[in-house]
Amino acid sequence: MPFKKLMIVLLAGLLSACGTGNQTNGHGDVVKKVNPVDHPKQNEIAAKVHPAIKIKEENNSTIINYKVKNISGGPIKLSFASGLQADYIVYDQHGKKVKQYSEEVMSTQAITEMTFDNNQEIQNSFTISDLYNGAYKIEVFLTAQEEQAKVVMDLLVENSLFTKASGLFTGQIDPHSIEVEIKGEKVAFQLKEEAIQQLPSHKEGSEILFVYTENEIQKTIEKFLIE
């Protein structure tokens, strides 16, 4: 092949290679071509609302302050299946549900709607007074069909009136009290109504788990636990 034709063929091949695939920069490094669709658009990943909770213990109760702010830049339509705008669920260390607010309160069943304006805040406060001391996880969320704004946080209860304990059920003193051996010491406990109803399911000599309260006069078992 003549020299001029050979040079033309080589030059055409080089130009064809440069037009496809990866490109090189001035230093000979490979520069990968990125398709714009590989990256999500900013408005597709931006959050519409910002939820937050603050937890504090006060007067032997745990107070949960839950706030949701509209940061979408525009109004959001929210519809609720009842008069309850927000709900919470408390889980123990094993992931078992301990309590849920909506299961304990009465609320209207009528569907309600609201326009959640930009920068507007929805605030709800919950007071929990019947958790025994210990570590939990709490999940708080809106009940709206369009947006839950869920927040999950660790919850440590240290100043509750309720204490969790275990011991050996040694016998029944009377219809309203029993004796429990805890760390080698026999302790008398009064029984609340719920505990009295649960008592027949426990046999003398068995290990029992329970929640109790205490004052200067006596200790009272509120309920027995099953784990």
Side-chain angles (χ1 to χ4, degrees):
M1 180 183 294
F3 179 75
K4 288 184 177 180
K5 289 185 178 181
L6 178 62
M7 290 296 293
I8 292 172
V9 171
L10 291 174
L11 181 60
L14 288 173
L15 291 174
S16 176
C18 291
T20 62
N22 296 333
Q23 296 181 352
T24 59
N25 58 20
H27 302 287
D29 300 321
V30 175
V31 180
K32 186 177 180 180
K33 296 178 71 176
V34 179
N35 191 331
V37 299
D38 292 338
H39 294 281
K41 296 179 182 179
Q42 187 64 33
N43 60 1
E44 291 178 345
I45 62 176
K48 293 182 179 180
V49 298
H50 176 68
I53 58 175
K54 290 184 179 180
I55 302 173
K56 66 177 180 178
E57 285 192 85
E58 187 176 283
N59 298 325
N60 305 118
S61 298
T62 301
I63 300 174
I64 311 295
N65 290 312
Y66 172 61
K67 181 172 65 176
V68 181
K69 184 176 183 179
N70 181 356
I71 58 172
S72 68
I76 300 174
K77 178 185 175 182
L78 297 179
S79 54
F80 303 89
S82 70
L84 196 66
Q85 282 191 341
D87 197 1
Y88 70 75
I89 304 175
V90 178
Y91 301 92
D92 64 15
Q93 291 177 297
H94 305 291
K96 181 181 178 181
K97 185 170 75 171
V98 176
K99 66 187 286 104
Q100 183 168 354
Y101 181 66
S102 59
E103 295 177 351
E104 301 176 353
V105 298
M106 298 291 292
S107 61
T108 59
Q109 297 302 310
I111 296 176
T112 59
E113 295 183 350
M114 68 170 289
T115 300
F116 191 21
D117 293 324
N118 186 46
N119 289 324
Q120 183 182 352
E121 293 182 347
I122 296 175
Q123 299 189 47
N124 286 267
S125 181
F126 307 97
T127 300
I128 309 174
S129 57
D130 57 352
L131 288 177
Y132 52 82
N133 291 313
Y136 304 86
K137 193 173 292 293
I138 186 168
E139 177 181 288
V140 192
F141 51 93
L142 291 178
T143 61
Q145 296 179 8
E146 299 82 3
E147 180 66 59
Q148 280 197 313
K150 184 183 297 183
V151 183
V152 180
M153 183 175 289
D154 291 330
L155 172 62
L156 181 62
V157 179
E158 298 179 299
N159 300 311
S160 174
L161 295 174
F162 300 89
T163 302
K164 179 181 176 182
S166 62
L168 188 67
F169 176 29
T170 58
Q172 188 168 356
I173 301 172
D174 57 45
H176 302 281
S177 61
I178 64 172
E179 187 178 70
V180 182
E181 183 177 320
I182 302 176
K183 297 180 180 179
E185 179 183 355
K186 292 183 178 180
V187 182
F189 287 90
Q190 293 290 310
L191 301 176
K192 277 291 186 68
E193 187 61 34
E194 182 178 356
I196 291 174
Q197 295 177 1
Q198 294 174 307
L199 188 60
S201 62
H202 298 285
K203 297 180 180 179
E204 291 187 12
S206 63
E207 191 78 15
I208 57 175
L209 184 65
F210 54 93
V211 175
Y212 74 95
T213 57
E214 182 178 3
N215 56 34
E216 296 177 355
I217 301 174
Q218 63 187 22
K219 294 180 172 68
T220 303
I221 294 178
E222 302 289 326
K223 62 182 178 180
F224 294 98
L225 302 176
I226 300 175
E227 290 190 348

